[in-house]
Amino acid sequence: MNQAALHMLLNRSSCGLLQVPAPSGEVLEHILQAGLRAPDHGHLQPFEFLIAEGDGLSRLGDLLADAAEKDGLPADTITRAKQMPQRAPMVITVVAKIQKHEKVPALEQELAAGCAVMAMQMAAQVQGFGGIWRSGPLMFSRALHASLELSELDQIVGFLYLGTPATSLREPALVESKKFTRWL
Ligand SMILES: Cc1cc2nc3c(=O)[nH]c(=O)nc-3n(C[C@H](O)[C@H](O)[C@H](O)COP(=O)(O)O)c2cc1C
């Protein structure tokens, strides 16, 4: 049995307090490759990873604030949106690039992209980095989609914040599986 892999699966943990350095080079490539190994019906590869770091974080913040304004969100939300990406040294916006397909509905393609987010977070963790999957109403903003040059069917499934943990990772509490299980 591969104890290290099992330990990772049982102890995956998010980290929202992130500092420099961001993953780079081979580490970042492993993270992207882990995302690309997500289960994917029909091998459609419905993924796009929009990576923001350094000035890119400010650009992403400007796009979020601009979209919030266009969507008529309150002034404090617009101000917060601009600062959101500054909470980590790297933010990867994960997009489900939806293709019209007779056997693979959009939901399945979005699930594949969601699996990619989790795989990428775990790949960051096993390499000594940390991350957290964040979302929010702007994921669904047509204004944001347009500024990121997404197609009409595309859907943002998450903003993966990545960096070096500024705190030790929380050890997850054991949850009783029986509560969530029914045998048929
Ligand atoms: C689709 C999705 C969206 C999420 N959005 C947010 C979010 O916007 N903000 C947040 O703090 N946590 C969000 N979370 C939860 C965190 O990623 C994380 O799972 C949570 O903080 C619990 O930590 P844990 O993963 O270590 O159990 C989201 C999770 C998922 C699956």
Side-chain angles (χ1 to χ4, degrees):
M1 191 200 293
N2 185 335
Q3 288 290 354
L6 185 60
H7 185 267
M8 174 63 212
L9 287 166
L10 300 183
N11 290 280
R12 182 206 60 78
S13 193
S14 302
C15 181
L17 266 183
L18 298 162
Q19 60 191 7
V20 289
S24 62
E26 198 180 39
V27 172
L28 178 58
E29 182 58 22
H30 288 150
I31 290 171
L32 297 171
Q33 289 297 333
L36 292 167
R37 275 309 305 139
D40 162 20
H41 190 179
H43 299 291
L44 300 181
Q45 298 182 311
F47 314 113
E48 187 170 39
F49 307 125
L50 307 175
I51 303 173
E53 187 183 16
D55 290 345
L57 295 171
S58 305
R59 280 193 289 278
L60 179 60
D62 288 344
L63 296 180
L64 290 169
D66 187 51
E69 194 170 354
K70 285 184 175 140
D71 290 351
L73 298 182
D76 61 324
T77 307
I78 297 169
T79 310
R80 266 208 319 277
K82 194 176 169 69
Q83 291 308 317
M84 275 176 192
Q86 302 298 337
R87 292 176 289 181
M90 177 176 281
V91 177
I92 303 183
T93 303
V94 179
V95 181
K97 299 292 292 179
I98 305 298
Q99 300 163 42
K100 279 204 166 128
H101 192 282
E102 59 177 18
K103 287 198 184 131
V104 189
L107 175 62
E108 291 191 18
Q109 298 177 49
E110 289 169 5
L111 289 170
C115 288
V117 181
M118 184 173 162
M120 291 162 80
Q121 194 217 341
M122 291 203 292
Q125 187 175 333
V126 293
Q127 294 181 99
F129 288 82
I132 183 165
W133 180 351
R134 295 187 189 271
S135 52
L138 289 170
M139 278 203 331
F140 307 97
S141 165
R142 301 309 302 177
L144 182 64
H145 290 193
S147 65
L148 292 174
E149 298 172 31
L150 306 189
S151 310
E152 206 186 327
L153 297 178
D154 294 346
Q155 179 55 54
I156 297 171
V157 297
F159 301 101
L160 180 61
Y161 285 61
L162 291 174
T164 301
T167 54
S168 47
L169 291 191
R170 189 174 49 83
E171 209 160 290
L174 197 66
V175 178
E176 209 187 325
S177 63
K178 264 191 201 150
K179 281 191 194 160
F180 300 89
T181 313
R182 283 197 299 138
W183 287 78
L184 301 180

